[in-house]
Amino acid sequence: MLKIGSYEFQSRLLLGTGKFPDFDIQKKAVDISETEILTFAVRRMNIFDPEQPNFLEKLDAKRFTLLPNTAGAKTAEEAVRIAKLAKASGLCDMIKVEVIGDFTTLLPDPVETLKASEMLLEEGFTVLPYTSDDVLLARKLEELGVHAIMPGASPIGSGLGIVNPLNMSLIIEQANVPVIVDAGIGSPADVAIAMELGADGVLLNTAVSGAKDPVKMAEAMKLAIQAGRLGFEAGRIPKKRYATASSPLEGMSV
Ligand SMILES: CC(=O)[C@@H](O)[C@H](O)COP(=O)(O)O
């Protein structure tokens, strides 16, 4: 069970909604992934005009928890404005805080992210900040009272996987709120590594929407989440420098 604030989920896979080739493929991918949380950029959504096309209707959005994100915000104030718009539309009081500090790397601005998270907590939101993999920043966000921390594996859309597994594992180890690895996932192996490190979930988009077969990849990601989580719970063997025979050698004459 993944618990974020007052929300509870069976699935630990969070799926982004951008860049799918078409609605049909997107719907099939979402269905097979068994995700319960869909994130979308508020600024790209038509949430107020019923005359305009809205993919949420096509996806039967009532089945999902919709996690609006503040993509496009460059300052804390902009992020808060976007979050308030999403809340006013009646979708969800959860918000993924995304304040981009640099448009080449799309890396989050740590100062503005911290500020936005503080302001949104004061407004009563369930706050999930997308952050860099900085261990102390993650701690400061938790101290503020955020409901989950979402450190990036690597830059959005890069598919590079977890570039700093040490930092990621330190963030996971110290956290008392869910840690959702977000952005930069390229393959099911990356997802399994995140879950084996002890992450509570993974948020991804491009790896599925940009795959040759997004539906198959969505299923692979679901299975990777399950395999990685099972592996984490089972507890891996310690890594050793030298060999240990699989069958006992005692009593054998050589
Ligand atoms: C959809 C969303 O929220 C993205 O900003 C997110 O960070 C996913 O990144 P990838 O596309 O790299 O999976």
Side-chain angles (χ1 to χ4, degrees):
M1 188 74 88
L2 170 63
K3 213 170 170 306
I4 303 173
S6 59
Y7 297 83
E8 288 183 354
F9 306 98
Q10 301 294 330
S11 166
R12 293 175 181 274
L13 178 60
L14 290 73
L15 214 54
T17 51
K19 302 184 287 193
F20 279 85
D22 62 52
F23 282 130
D24 209 43
I25 289 176
Q26 181 172 18
K27 185 177 172 351
K28 285 186 183 136
V30 167
D31 284 345
I32 206 158
S33 76
E34 290 177 19
T35 185
E36 294 166 273
I37 309 177
L38 294 175
T39 185
F40 64 92
V42 175
R43 79 193 160 111
R44 286 214 200 91
M45 277 298 301
N46 155 47
I47 44 184
F48 292 106
D49 183 354
E51 300 303 311
Q52 294 300 312
N54 183 341
F55 79 90
L56 296 175
E57 284 161 18
K58 299 194 188 224
L59 287 174
D60 185 13
K62 288 187 194 71
R63 283 169 39 213
F64 304 98
T65 296
L66 300 172
L67 173 60
N69 67 59
T70 64
K74 294 183 287 301
T75 64
E77 287 72 20
E78 278 174 20
V80 171
R81 204 172 321 124
I82 294 171
K84 283 184 175 170
L85 261 177
K87 200 174 188 176
S89 73
L91 284 174
C92 187
D93 77 335
M94 272 211 288
I95 188 82
K96 173 180 155 179
V97 180
E98 189 171 320
V99 187
I100 298 301
D102 171 68
F103 281 85
T104 308
T105 59
L106 294 182
L107 289 173
D109 181 325
V111 177
E112 295 299 308
T113 301
L114 201 71
K115 210 165 120 190
S117 298
E118 189 167 20
M119 291 161 82
L120 289 164
L121 285 165
E122 272 165 24
E123 297 276 346
F125 281 86
T126 300
V127 178
L128 293 74
Y130 162 59
T131 165
S132 60
D133 59 8
D134 186 280
V135 183
L136 291 176
L137 176 61
R139 185 183 296 165
K140 283 185 194 298
L141 285 163
E142 182 175 339
E143 283 166 2
L144 273 186
V146 300
H147 300 84
I149 299 162
M150 308 182 84
S154 48
I156 295 172
S158 69
L160 288 170
I162 301 178
V163 288
N164 194 336
L166 175 64
N167 270 25
M168 196 59 84
S169 65
L170 290 171
I171 290 173
I172 291 167
E173 200 177 289
Q174 75 178 8
N176 298 298
V177 292
V179 176
I180 316 284
V181 174
D182 178 6
I185 294 293
S187 73
D190 299 333
V191 169
I193 289 169
M195 296 308 290
E196 277 191 56
L197 286 176
D200 297 277
V202 175
L203 189 157
L204 58 91
N205 190 156
T206 312
V208 166
S209 65
K212 200 165 72 188
D213 185 336
V215 182
K216 238 179 212 170
M217 188 57 86
E219 183 170 20
M221 294 303 190
K222 172 185 72 181
L223 296 173
I225 288 269
Q226 292 166 1
R229 181 70 190 178
L230 274 177
F232 169 70
E233 287 173 0
R236 61 152 298 138
I237 58 165
K239 290 184 183 176
K240 288 183 191 152
R241 203 167 155 75
Y242 299 106
T244 323
S246 306
S247 329
L249 294 174
E250 290 99 64
M252 285 183 70
S253 53
V254 191

